Amino acid sequence: MALSPTQSRRAFLLGSTAAAFSLWIPTHALAGLAFDTPVAIQPIDNGTVVDGVREYSLNLRSGTTEFFNGQQTKTMGINGSYLAPVLRMRAGETVKLNVKNDLAVPSTLHWHGLNVPAKADGGPHQVIAAGERWSPEFKIHEVASTMWYHSHLMHETALQVWAGLAGMIIIDDDVSDGLDLPSTYGVNDIPLVLQDRRFNRYGSMPYEASMHDEMAGMSGNVPLINGTVLPYFNVSTNRLRLRLLNGANASIYNLAFSDSRSFVQIASDGGLLVAPVAMSELLLAPGERAEIIVEFSADDKVVLESVGLTNRSHGGQGMGGRMMMAEQNPQFELIEFRANDALQTSSSIPETLAILPDVLASNATHTREFLLEMPGMGPLRMLGLGGGFTINGSSMDMQRVDEVVKIGDVEIWEITNAGPMIHPFHIHNTQFRIIDRDGQPPAANEAGLKDTVVVHPGEVVRLLVRFDNYTDPERPYMYHCHILEHEDAGMMGQFTVV
Ligand code: C2O
Ligand code: CU
Ligand code: CU
């Protein structure tokens, strides 16, 4: 099977990717084509409450998916052939995820953004062998938010997420219920999993990473929105809430509408912002989520695009002097919104959303430094010399715990990017706050709850971090770059909470 880790590794080792290169659909393959497929909206899975615990059944499967008419490609999915149901949960309740691995290979399922016991985290240490079951149970400590879940198998996360093992989680609470936000799922509350894949002329998307891809991250020539190629959405209300998830392996999307219309961001990774933030461009890196509200007039036709990096998207600091890899920021048309000739009216956007504590760096009792580097790139790497991706000089080692943190301690994590690429830094088991970027306070849309943060080349980002609720001296959680090829190549470390 084209997607088995062994075979794709073998293809890589034998250098047969060179052949695959020539089969790629050129980047402009979709340019000028019409958006002619309604976007897939993954079904909501509310689980079933058994003795006060909300239980879900999740089956990891391999299958085939038809992304292009009449062309089947091998994929993986959860309760389906590609991607997964949207798990809907409520703050404060206890959930149990009954996971069965029906793949022919091992896997894991990680609950990205959630504060859970280490043994329930679904990282590289919670491997589910082929044919086996795993049933973690935990309380939902989070507020209303858009989270996600995905495979996190050591060295294979990139391949398995590429194949399709990822889905969205929506958490509700009383605060969000009390706000008059668009909340009719699939009508004016829309999940959008943004990805791109590299298709060949046969309509397949095998994971075949060249040496360059392992460095730059795997990006594709075809955007997939909820797994749909060239999708459109029929707009029937004058305001839409879009729950955006960057589920790509490596691409950092700078999102904007084709007519440059402004929109408001209402939530970041971990939940609602203090107040809506008006914007016209939104930078969203792998792992990050954002909820936005967009207004429509009757008969509108507008395309959500990834426009590539601009000065504005760079935290207002300009790009001068910083080496950038344009390849990290592709330009794509993603999805077309087509408004009906008469639109239902949604209520207006609330002026205030959530109450968040002030970010007081002075409360911190420890500072930890994390230096992200890409040593041995270029000629040395070509010769197989030098480590590829490190944090504080080391590549990930499952036997080594890098940091030990005390439960409840307030800490400053200072992330320095010494390399030439953007790294989205993610910490498991917590929602943190950004203190500053190069000494400057974060933009308003980054001032809320976050679990993944873009760190630009040369930048130092300070985070206010705390881990609550669970200790486990044995089992670690992960922190890592969310470019999955970087994570798999070693830009990941482990910490325990004691
Ligand atoms: Cu999105 Cu370590 O995960
Ligand atoms: Cu995570
Ligand atoms: Cu990275």
Side-chain angles (χ1 to χ4, degrees), residues 110-113 121 150 152 426-429 451 478 480 482:
H110 166 60
W111 324 104
H112 178 128
D121 192 43
H150 60 80
H152 211 308
H426 169 51
I427 309 173
H428 284 210
N429 196 42
D451 56 53
M478 308 294 133
H480 56 89
H482 220 288

Side-chain angles (χ1 to χ4, degrees), residues 356-373:
L356 294 175
D358 288 341
V359 180
L360 297 174
S362 54
N363 285 348
T365 52
H366 288 80
T367 298
R368 288 173 208 266
E369 296 177 1
F370 298 87
L371 179 66
L372 313 181
E373 287 181 294

Side-chain angles (χ1 to χ4, degrees), residues 446-496:
E446 286 203 314
L449 300 172
K450 296 282 295 165
D451 56 53
T452 307
V453 61
V454 163
V455 189
H456 294 277
E459 197 175 38
V460 180
V461 177
R462 293 198 307 153
L463 312 174
L464 199 66
V465 183
R466 198 175 83 190
F467 304 95
D468 290 321
N469 297 306
Y470 306 105
T471 59
D472 188 332
E474 304 294 327
R475 299 182 188 82
Y477 300 96
M478 308 294 133
Y479 52 84
H480 56 89
C481 174
H482 220 288
I483 292 176
L484 301 179
E485 284 70 23
H486 294 181
E487 173 195 325
D488 280 348
M491 195 174 270
M492 176 155 67
Q494 311 196 93
F495 68 99
T496 52

Side-chain angles (χ1 to χ4, degrees), residues 44-46 54 56 86-93 140-147 169-178 182-183 185 189 241 243 272 291:
I44 285 270
D45 185 344
N46 286 305
R54 191 175 294 278
Y56 302 82
V86 174
L87 307 182
R88 194 125 202 184
M89 305 172 174
R90 197 157 179 93
E93 71 183 358
I140 300 301
H141 296 286
E142 286 64 41
V143 295
S145 50
T146 303
M147 305 289 190
I169 297 173
I170 296 178
I171 299 175
D172 300 297
D173 70 6
D174 295 346
V175 173
S176 67
D177 287 358
S183 53
Y185 185 79
D189 183 355
R241 174 200 209 162
R243 296 176 187 262
L272 293 167
E291 294 178 29

